[in-house]
Amino acid sequence: MRRLIGGVAVLAAAGAAVFWVITAPRPLPADALAGLAGDAARGESVFWAAGCASCHAAPGAKGDAMLVLAGGREFPSPFGTFVAPNISQHPDRGIGGWTADQVANAVMRGVSPDGRHYYPAFPYTAYGKMTPQDAVDLSAYLETLPESEAENRPHGLGFPFTIRRGLGLWKMLFVSDDWVLADVADEKAERGRYLSEALAHCGECHTPRGPLGGLDRGRWMAGAPIPGEERGSYPNITPAALDWSEGDIAEYLTSGFTPEYDTVGGHMVEVVENMARLPRADREAVAAYLKALPPVE
């Protein structure tokens, strides 16, 4: 019996050690940003394309207040409610003083400065495809934004989702560096893929998820329920359901008007406001990408 108990204890210790190793956060290589200098002007475009203000501005913020990244917005999910943190330049309650490496690791790897996993409500699953230069430029732009003293509120999660270490396994299952649309026809569609799959993280809303919260890449952009809402869903934006022309899509992302002269509503209002700040060529690139997607009924 003693040998049995001892054997079980050894196996348990070995299993715990293996779990601890394989679930460890994996930051970027130490030289990932070597030689890169941030440009705040370029970073502003990255900021709007990535929709940073749409999540991290205070609830109800409009106009210049969108640049005060005080956090506080709630995002319901099947696992609990996530609350966006303060990412203003406040030195204690925000990210004031973070280095470009720390920003890049948070955005691209979902790893905090103190070495913890971030929850994937923060779409690093998409941002991981961001170029290191864009991450450095984004960091430079964030440094130009104002501080907020807003306190961070904890996420509303229950056990076992409070155990962040388990996110290491989740990342192994659901985080991929591969593009969903592997082949693109030209540079325009390639730019659209980068904007759609990486910066704008369109798939995070428009793609259905499995029971563990991972995106169903086999039904990419085929529409999904809106978390926390009994009715309504994010629409299918593959060619199977979206029959707009490239010009129609680009115009929608510019003015918010559909080809039928309806207007944008719901969550897409802020997305269109963000996209409208980008060069026309970027909106046309997104349109080209959407038209190139495989149709999913």
Side-chain angles (χ1 to χ4, degrees), residues 54 62 66 252-256 263-276:
S54 297
K62 300 292 182 182
M66 291 290 289
Y252 176 72
L253 295 175
T254 303
S255 66
T263 56
V264 64
H267 298 272
M268 274 300 294
V269 171
E270 286 185 283
V271 175
V272 169
E273 290 175 348
N274 293 338
M275 296 298 292

Side-chain angles (χ1 to χ4, degrees), residues 13 36 56 100 105 116 134 143 152 161 224 236 243 256 274:
L36 300 180
H56 291 280
N105 272 301
R116 293 181 302 147
D134 274 355
E143 290 177 1
N152 289 301
F161 306 116
N236 182 337
D243 60 359
N274 293 338

Side-chain angles (χ1 to χ4, degrees), residues 159-208:
F159 182 82
F161 306 116
T162 51
I163 303 175
R164 292 194 185 223
R165 192 74 180 198
L167 288 167
L169 291 177
W170 191 93
K171 289 179 177 179
M172 291 174 63
L173 291 171
F174 300 115
V175 177
S176 172
D177 293 332
D178 297 332
W179 298 106
V180 178
L181 186 63
D183 299 315
V184 290
D186 50 35
E187 290 184 2
K188 181 180 180 181
E190 184 176 12
R191 173 64 177 170
R193 178 177 67 180
Y194 178 68
L195 289 165
S196 302
E197 293 192 20
L199 296 188
H201 55 280
C202 306
E204 296 291 316
C205 288
H206 289 279
T207 300

Side-chain angles (χ1 to χ4, degrees), residues 20-226:
W20 194 254
V21 170
I22 66 174
T23 60
R26 287 173 170 75
L28 293 166
D31 61 349
L33 308 184
L36 300 180
D39 183 298
R42 291 196 305 261
E44 182 176 8
S45 292
V46 178
F47 175 86
W48 293 115
C52 304
S54 297
C55 288
H56 291 280
K62 300 292 182 182
D64 289 343
M66 291 290 289
L67 296 178
V68 183
L69 306 178
R73 295 195 185 194
E74 296 185 352
F75 299 90
S77 81
F79 311 101
T81 299
F82 297 95
V83 183
N86 180 338
I87 61 165
S88 77
Q89 290 300 297
H90 193 281
D92 299 316
R93 296 176 180 174
I95 63 171
W98 281 25
T99 66
D101 291 88
Q102 290 172 328
V103 171
N105 272 301
V107 169
M108 297 176 67
R109 290 298 178 92
V111 177
S112 71
D114 61 358
R116 293 181 302 147
H117 291 294
Y118 283 123
Y119 288 105
F122 179 26
Y124 52 77
T125 49
Y127 293 157
K129 298 182 181 70
M130 182 185 298
T131 66
Q133 182 65 65
D134 274 355
V136 171
D137 292 341
L138 175 61
S139 178
Y141 179 68
L142 291 174
E143 290 177 1
T144 71
L145 300 182
E147 297 181 10
S148 168
E149 295 184 351
E151 294 187 6
N152 289 301
R153 295 191 288 118
H155 301 305
L157 305 175
F159 182 82
F161 306 116
T162 51
I163 303 175
R164 292 194 185 223
R165 192 74 180 198
L167 288 167
L169 291 177
W170 191 93
K171 289 179 177 179
M172 291 174 63
L173 291 171
F174 300 115
V175 177
S176 172
D177 293 332
D178 297 332
W179 298 106
V180 178
L181 186 63
D183 299 315
V184 290
D186 50 35
E187 290 184 2
K188 181 180 180 181
E190 184 176 12
R191 173 64 177 170
R193 178 177 67 180
Y194 178 68
L195 289 165
S196 302
E197 293 192 20
L199 296 188
H201 55 280
C202 306
E204 296 291 316
C205 288
H206 289 279
T207 300
R209 296 177 181 273
L212 296 179
L215 294 175
D216 181 356
R217 290 163 67 101
R219 294 187 57 77
W220 187 251
M221 302 289 199
I226 300 176

Side-chain angles (χ1 to χ4, degrees), residues 237-251:
I237 56 174
T238 74
L242 187 66
D243 60 359
W244 299 353
S245 69
E246 286 187 27
D248 291 336
I249 297 171
E251 178 58 32

